[in-house]
Amino acid sequence: MSEFNDQHAGKEQTGNSKAPTHAAFHVRDTKDGKGFWTRIGSARAHKDGKGFNILLDVMPLDGSIKLRVSEEKKPQ
């Protein structure tokens, strides 16, 4: 999986908005049956918890889009 490096993250943290709660990935199946994941954007939950605002940097033409809870990167 690609590293958490979202262009929208800085925009989301300004003003009253919160940082993205989920990362969006494009997933394509490979010939060996494994999925190839590419980070394509982010999502953040609505205040009422009933939906998401999804911000995509690209729109895939094939495969599927998966939303995963964003995990903080631990300093190495």
Side-chain angles (χ1 to χ4, degrees), residues 10-22:
K11 294 177 187 173
E12 294 296 320
Q13 292 175 352
T14 60
N16 295 329
S17 297
K18 291 183 180 180
T21 57
H22 291 71

Side-chain angles (χ1 to χ4, degrees), residues 16-76:
N16 295 329
S17 297
K18 291 183 180 180
T21 57
H22 291 71
F25 294 91
H26 170 235
V27 181
R28 286 183 292 131
D29 290 329
T30 60
K31 292 180 183 178
D32 62 0
K34 296 182 180 181
F36 182 77
W37 291 57
T38 304
R39 185 176 176 126
I40 61 169
S42 61
R44 64 185 167 106
H46 292 168
K47 289 181 182 180
D48 65 6
K50 295 183 180 182
F52 293 90
N53 287 335
I54 301 173
L55 304 166
L56 298 177
D57 296 320
V58 297
M59 179 63 80
L61 299 176
D62 62 353
S64 62
I65 297 175
K66 309 284 187 199
L67 291 178
R68 302 283 297 174
V69 173
S70 292
E71 296 179 4
E72 291 185 33
K73 292 289 181 181
K74 297 177 183 175
Q76 295 180 359

